[in-house]
Amino acid sequence: MHVERRVLLALVSAALAVTSITATPAAAAPQVRHDSDRDFGNGPERNEIAATDPVAARRATPAGENQVRTHQGYPRRTELRVYPEDPTDRSIKLGLTPYHALAPRLNALQDRSDRVSVEVVGQSGLGRDLYLVTLTAPEKPAESRQQDAWRDLIENDPVRAARDHRLERDYKAPLWINNNIHGNEWEGTDAALRQIDYLATTNDPAARRLLRHSRIYFNVTANPDGRVAGTRGNANGFDLNRDFVTNSQPENVAMREEIEDTQPVITLDEHGYSDGTLIEPTGPPHGQNYDFDLYIRHGYADGLEMEAAVKALGYPEAQDVVVPFRDLAPGDWDGWPPIFTAQYAMYHGAVSYTIEIPLQVNNDAYNTLPVEELRRRAAINTDVSEATVKTTLSYLDRHRVELVDNQIEIFRRGAAGEPQRYVPDGFVPGFGPEDRFTTNFPRAYVIPAGPTQRSAVAAARLVDHLVAHDVRVRRATRPFTLGGHRYPVGSYVVDMHQPKRGLANVMLEAGKDVSDDAPQMYDIAGWSHRLLWGASADIVRNGQVRVPSVAVVAAAPTGGLDVAPGRDLAIRIVDGKDASAVNDLLGRGLSLRRLGDGTVVVPASGRQAARAVADRYGVRFTAAPPGAGSPLHRVTVAAAVAVDELFALRDMGFDVRPVSTATLNAGFDLSRVDVLLVSSGLRYDQLQPAARAQVDAVLAQGGVVTRGATGSRFNADARLLPVTAVPGRGDANGVVTVDNAGASVLAGSTPTSFVYSPQWFANLGAGVRAEQRYAAGNPLVAGHWRPNADGSGGPTAAAGQAAVVSGTSATGARVLMFGTEPLFRAHPKGLYAQVASAIYWSATR
């Protein structure tokens, strides 16, 4: 047992206050979060700081284009385009390398050394190049092709790979080092540059030997926009270290592709700043889809070596090293969700680590400490980061064969469909029952085609997402029977006997309720793509999978018109892509109608435009039912929302104007706004008279959609719907089952939803409809949701309560209130339609 972390840990928190928010003149206190010193990617600020347009974040405009000089074998040289000098780059104050200095430095190094290659693997949100630097001994094209063939063999035929003696002797073990994923955690980039310079130019025989037997990949800065601006998130405000299995951001797409293409046996993700250096492995809960025995032996050994190397630097500030597996309580620094770099890379066969360097130089420290002190700290942090890299290079050099064999075995077990191994107590020092997390892999998943599929466009999106993440999917060429069900041609099958079965399952399984496994979790604990992305998918528990099929490279097209020429067309809003199509048509100037059941009608004269958007978004139009409906015009939304919600709304094509208490008090014009969406950064009681008058005008003519504690307070202060908003425990999150019986605006919604700091609504007044209720019993399917110390705020208290409500205010505003999280981090794609439907409904009369 881990003495430090297992000894009855500090009590999780004092009892959390329970605050009800009711539609009365009395001001209602905002929701209280579960007490914690953890840094959530979306924490309390999610409800307090409204998103703004990134107008200050200028698109980077370099001179010229990147010129690829060589592309076969190694080195692979690229003449990088050079960006103008930017004196506002926040790294300069710390004495670190500004982004604009990277290309000249890397260009010069490519000219000096035949061991270094630089490739541009993508662009950031603002157009800055993303650099992948490879250090290895020179390779002729034929040698590089052989390395590629061995890498493919390891994944695709691990049995043969395990017997290939040439592979064992000559395969170059890959190591991938990710830096600066949080833009204001700078020093990993500078540590990487030091090691790049050293490995490219040194004559040290040990380093030269390492490069003959390895490929060392550096993602120099994963978040250049954040590096320049000094922000944790990217230009869209997203925490990139929470986006791996959602992959909504261009930087994450590039990182995912780097991991897939390099197939590292070890991954380091360099971060800052903890109170003392932190070096994984994580504490429990550990992801239940890993072959954990193949991770933890090397994971713990190299972690301890990195700890010793950091201490050996001699800095007093770096002597307190935390290894979460050994030192921290369950849930304090867990490895449960696949949203983080390290935990995601493990599903691609890597022994992975998050590294946290010790001395804070960002946020308040950046603005208050003297420059000399900031630079002293940054220099120590760079040394610490470099020590972890150097140690891992040494570990790779000494354990290359074992690490490659380890990866081969991960893929072999997956392809063979073998059960996970039982890991006994003491497998590594401190391993105990609290570390043992396993699952029973199903035999297959089926994503059906035909009438049983809830949304063809959602099914195609899910399939394309799986394929992009190197999960193998096949498309049936004939009808087939599997698991006792008959499926039509065109259905998709995910055979779970595949090398990366852990990754397939972590996306498609429901997940697990880990509420009893840890008193709290570091971040989210539920995320199921099968339950949250809007597609129907069946589980096949056992049996043989013999389906006439072809491998999928991309899902089959889904868009089309199922209606004869000359007739009006109709589309139901069951997916965010349906909303995208409607907003596109409205943007083209078409006059649409919305029927009472939410169906949107396109006139027959708009057939050509409908065909174009059907092809673009993959949606289908059917013949319009009878009914006049209400005119639906282009909707302008004033949104006081979190950054992820702003991103999702614009992803659906809504015309969104970000607002907040401050912008409204500064005179923002709401005269052309149809709907006010409130979830963050807007307080009705803090509006000045002129701003309040503008808001009241919207409330008299338009609609309101709210989410969470801030939205509920706005509802109460503006006296809109007579309801009492009841907060659940503040750190609760996960996938929940909901009951849509009686829904009107949200009719046809999925039977599952997502919560993060959940709410429910009690004491529903006259005219208020429960659009959605938490399921009876325990609605939590997967995630972490415990009651407060006083017994309140838990899932059983939420059971049967209204999760979403709608109604019309005394002023005539149509109001819909979410206690769930339908747009959270752009992940629950299948819930987007709920917000779109709420906006259309509230905007029409």
Side-chain angles (χ1 to χ4, degrees):
M1 301 287 283
H2 302 179
V3 176
E4 292 98 330
R5 85 175 187 201
R6 311 300 193 213
V7 186
L8 275 180
L9 318 165
L11 293 175
V12 180
S13 70
L16 293 174
V18 179
T19 303
S20 294
I21 304 177
T22 57
T24 67
Q31 183 171 354
V32 177
R33 295 190 61 77
H34 181 59
D35 184 31
S36 172
D37 60 1
R38 302 184 307 282
D39 185 3
F40 285 88
N42 286 315
E45 73 280 0
R46 181 171 171 73
N47 295 328
E48 298 166 5
I49 302 174
T52 59
D53 275 317
V55 292
R58 304 181 304 276
R59 284 194 66 83
T61 52
E65 297 294 329
N66 297 307
Q67 301 294 325
V68 178
R69 294 185 287 180
T70 59
H71 61 276
Q72 294 182 335
Y74 279 93
R76 298 177 180 179
R77 291 172 171 159
T78 305
E79 184 69 32
L80 303 172
R81 55 186 181 177
V82 176
Y83 288 75
E85 185 173 333
D86 183 356
T88 68
D89 189 309
R90 304 274 282 187
S91 62
I92 295 173
K93 182 178 180 180
L94 304 173
L96 300 173
T97 307
Y99 176 80
H100 60 256
L102 294 177
R105 182 168 176 172
L106 294 172
N107 281 337
L109 194 58
Q110 288 182 97
D111 289 337
R112 292 172 55 202
S113 172
D114 62 359
R115 301 174 225 159
V116 62
S117 303
V118 185
E119 297 169 272
V120 175
V121 292
Q123 279 75 40
S124 69
L126 293 179
R128 292 186 172 93
D129 289 336
L130 303 171
Y131 305 127
L132 177 66
V133 177
T134 306
L135 277 301
T136 194
E139 299 171 13
K140 296 175 182 178
E143 292 172 324
S144 293
R145 288 193 294 272
Q146 180 61 71
Q147 292 294 321
D148 292 344
W150 279 330
R151 185 179 63 246
D152 290 343
L153 190 69
I154 287 170
E155 178 183 353
N156 298 321
D157 195 346
V159 173
R160 276 185 57 206
R163 296 197 299 254
D164 191 321
H165 297 298
R166 275 193 66 211
L167 183 156
E168 180 179 290
R169 185 187 68 225
D170 295 333
Y171 179 60
K172 290 186 170 183
L175 166 64
W176 185 69
I177 302 165
N178 199 42
N179 304 286
N180 200 202
I181 191 171
H182 291 146
N184 61 354
E185 298 168 8
W186 293 272
E187 293 92 338
T189 293
D190 289 79
L193 290 171
R194 282 190 196 169
Q195 278 297 295
I196 290 168
D197 286 343
Y198 172 75
L199 292 172
T201 59
T202 184
N203 290 318
D204 178 15
R208 302 292 290 266
R209 183 185 67 246
L210 170 72
L211 297 184
R212 286 195 299 272
H213 296 286
S214 309
R215 286 185 184 167
I216 315 303
Y217 299 97
F218 293 90
N219 189 17
V220 179
T221 169
N223 184 3
D225 297 341
R227 182 177 187 83
V228 172
T231 58
R232 179 182 177 92
N234 68 347
N236 289 323
F238 272 64
D239 185 332
L240 301 178
N241 202 38
R242 305 293 187 274
D243 190 51
F244 273 92
V245 290
T246 304
N247 237 209
S248 68
Q249 302 302 297
E251 298 90 345
N252 283 96
V253 171
M255 284 183 276
R256 184 206 78 220
E257 291 175 348
E258 290 177 42
I259 293 170
E260 290 177 10
D261 292 344
T262 63
Q263 201 168 292
V265 294
I266 303 181
T267 289
L268 299 182
D269 194 29
E270 299 286 338
H271 286 254
Y273 306 91
S274 64
D275 185 14
T277 306
L278 181 145
I279 300 170
E280 290 182 347
T282 72
H286 309 292
Q288 65 183 11
N289 288 284
Y290 298 127
D291 286 288
F292 201 67
D293 61 309
L294 297 176
Y295 163 73
I296 192 59
R297 192 181 294 280
H298 287 291
Y300 197 32
D302 188 24
L304 294 179
E305 290 191 16
M306 284 189 272
E307 176 187 33
V310 168
K311 289 184 174 182
L313 293 172
Y315 295 118
E317 302 94 331
Q319 296 306 303
D320 181 15
V321 178
V322 174
V323 178
F325 177 78
R326 180 191 65 199
D327 301 331
L328 295 184
D332 275 0
W333 192 279
D334 62 86
W336 182 251
I339 60 177
F340 310 117
T341 311
Q343 282 59 54
Y344 175 77
M346 287 169 65
Y347 287 113
H348 292 276
V351 175
S352 300
Y353 303 87
T354 301
I355 308 296
E356 297 274 346
I357 51 183
L359 300 176
Q360 186 174 14
V361 296
N362 62 2
N363 301 334
D364 288 343
Y366 187 96
N367 296 319
T368 60
L369 292 178
V371 172
E372 294 78 8
E373 173 61 13
L374 288 172
R375 293 187 173 190
R376 186 190 74 83
R377 291 184 177 197
I380 293 173
N381 286 336
T382 305
D383 287 349
V384 170
S385 180
E386 187 182 20
T388 65
V389 174
K390 291 168 67 175
T391 302
T392 298
L393 291 175
S394 172
Y395 192 90
L396 175 67
D397 190 37
R398 289 178 283 117
H399 298 278
R400 180 183 67 86
V401 172
E402 299 162 57
L403 288 163
V404 172
D405 286 347
N406 205 64
Q407 187 177 80
I408 291 171
E409 178 63 6
I410 291 172
F411 295 151
R412 188 201 67 78
R413 290 184 192 177
E418 293 184 3
Q420 293 160 302
R421 300 287 197 272
Y422 176 82
V423 184
D425 292 355
F427 183 76
V428 296
F431 187 95
E434 66 280 7
D435 293 300
R436 198 170 290 118
F437 288 84
T438 58
T439 192
N440 292 315
F441 293 106
R443 185 61 185 84
Y445 291 93
V446 179
I447 303 169
T452 62
Q453 180 50 253
R454 179 181 179 275
S455 169
V457 66
R461 177 178 56 230
L462 178 58
V463 167
D464 284 339
H465 190 76
L466 292 168
V467 171
H469 286 260
D470 204 22
V471 172
R472 297 170 185 202
V473 184
R474 300 188 68 84
R475 186 171 184 267
T477 55
R478 291 199 303 240
F480 65 95
T481 299
L482 199 58
H485 296 279
R486 189 70 175 166
Y487 295 100
V489 64
S491 296
Y492 298 98
V493 179
V494 181
D495 187 338
M496 290 298 292
H497 287 190
Q498 60 174 287
K500 296 181 181 177
R501 63 168 177 188
L503 184 55
N505 207 49
V506 82
M507 291 186 182
L508 292 173
E509 69 174 352
K512 182 178 186 286
D513 179 351
V514 293
S515 303
D516 293 335
D517 294 306
Q520 75 285 311
M521 296 288 282
Y522 184 79
D523 204 275
I524 64 166
W527 55 83
S528 175
H529 296 64
R530 178 172 59 86
L531 298 181
L532 296 177
W533 276 42
S536 306
D538 298 335
I539 304 171
V540 179
R541 291 294 176 190
N542 45 51
Q544 295 299 312
V545 178
R546 298 192 180 98
V547 177
S549 59
V550 293
V552 174
V553 176
T558 56
L561 310 182
D562 301 327
V563 55
R567 293 195 58 182
D568 289 350
L569 305 93
I571 185 170
R572 294 294 306 275
I573 310 300
V574 298
D575 189 83
K577 291 298 182 183
D578 299 319
S580 297
V582 168
N583 288 331
D584 194 328
L585 293 172
L586 290 170
R588 295 170 188 240
L590 271 69
S591 297
L592 309 184
R593 293 177 288 123
R594 183 182 181 277
L595 304 183
D597 65 354
T599 299
V600 175
V601 177
V602 182
S605 60
R607 183 180 182 88
Q608 185 174 355
R611 182 177 297 281
V613 301
D615 291 342
R616 180 175 182 181
Y617 301 106
V619 302
R620 300 200 74 83
F621 290 85
T622 59
S630 301
L632 180 62
H633 304 291
R634 179 77 166 156
V635 181
T636 299
V637 180
V641 295
V643 293
D644 51 347
E645 294 171 309
L646 177 63
F647 180 87
L649 289 166
R650 286 180 168 165
D651 189 44
M652 288 187 282
F654 284 104
D655 177 14
V656 186
R657 315 291 172 85
V659 298
S660 64
T661 305
T663 59
L664 293 179
N665 283 337
F668 187 93
D669 182 10
L670 292 177
S671 62
R672 297 185 179 181
V673 166
D674 302 297
V675 175
L676 184 61
L677 206 163
V678 182
S679 68
S680 183
L682 179 55
R683 288 276 298 270
Y684 183 84
D685 63 320
Q686 293 179 358
L687 293 174
Q688 296 172 4
R692 183 175 294 192
Q694 280 210 85
V695 169
D696 288 343
V698 174
L699 301 183
Q701 305 175 49
V704 179
V705 178
T706 75
R707 192 271 306 162
T710 296
S712 293
R713 177 160 192 160
F714 182 89
N715 174 77
D717 291 346
R719 302 184 180 186
L720 299 176
L721 296 188
V723 298
T724 300
V726 182
R729 175 165 157 151
D731 66 351
N733 69 85
V735 182
V736 293
T737 305
V738 292
D739 182 355
N740 296 305
S744 174
V745 181
L746 302 190
S749 293
T750 58
T752 49
S753 190
F754 183 81
V755 295
Y756 186 93
S757 298
Q759 288 197 321
W760 54 92
F761 304 100
N763 305 320
L764 276 58
V768 177
R769 177 192 294 268
E771 292 282 345
Q772 193 174 83
R773 293 183 180 275
Y774 292 108
N778 182 353
L780 185 66
V781 175
H784 189 276
W785 187 355
R786 294 163 67 125
N788 296 315
D790 64 1
S792 66
T796 57
Q801 299 295 322
V804 184
V805 296
S806 68
T808 302
S809 73
T811 64
R814 285 186 166 185
V815 181
L816 187 139
M817 303 176 66
F818 286 99
T820 56
E821 280 273 6
L823 304 180
F824 185 78
R825 296 181 186 167
H827 180 71
K829 312 291 188 188
L831 309 184
Y832 279 24
Q834 297 181 17
V835 177
S837 295
I839 290 172
Y840 294 142
W841 169 78
S842 65
T844 55
R845 294 290 183 272

